[in-house]
Amino acid sequence: IVKSSIWQSRVAGLQILKNFSIFNIFILNDESKDSFKQIVTNLLTDEQLEVRLCACLTLTSLIHSNFFDVEKSFLVKKSSD
């Protein structure tokens, strides 16, 4: 998913990953969950805005469904200027 040169493919892959994860939450092992988390977090910094938006929505959906736990690395501290 991450290496596709076509951004629409990356968005479609994220949508498939989200649905697959939620529907198979009880049969996926921790290694698979870590792999999915790595894919989603990598795409949060994609060059294409639509991919970043889809990655953000995928991450929030997976956190909401308790597929992932909220980690400190997901939180960004706003600096006071």
Side-chain angles (χ1 to χ4, degrees):
I1 297 172
V2 179
K3 297 183 183 199
S4 175
S5 61
I6 302 170
W7 69 266
Q8 292 96 337
S9 298
R10 295 191 300 271
V11 168
L14 278 167
Q15 293 169 341
I16 291 168
L17 185 139
K18 178 179 69 172
N19 291 332
F20 181 82
S21 301
I22 291 172
F23 289 122
N24 295 293
I25 192 168
F26 298 110
I27 60 172
L28 291 172
N29 60 19
D30 290 337
E31 184 178 322
S32 297
K33 290 181 180 184
D34 289 340
S35 176
F36 289 174
K37 186 186 303 182
Q38 185 67 34
I39 291 169
V40 174
T41 54
N42 284 344
L43 289 174
L44 285 171
T45 58
D46 194 84
E47 65 215 20
Q48 189 71 33
L49 175 62
E50 291 86 352
V51 176
R52 293 192 307 263
L53 180 59
C54 188
C56 180
L57 294 173
T58 300
L59 180 63
T60 56
S61 295
L62 295 176
I63 289 172
H64 183 72
S65 66
N66 290 324
F67 189 80
F68 298 147
D69 293 326
V70 178
E71 297 179 359
K72 288 185 179 183
S73 63
F74 293 153
L75 306 174
V76 177
K77 185 176 180 180
K78 184 177 179 181
S79 62
S80 57
D81 294 326

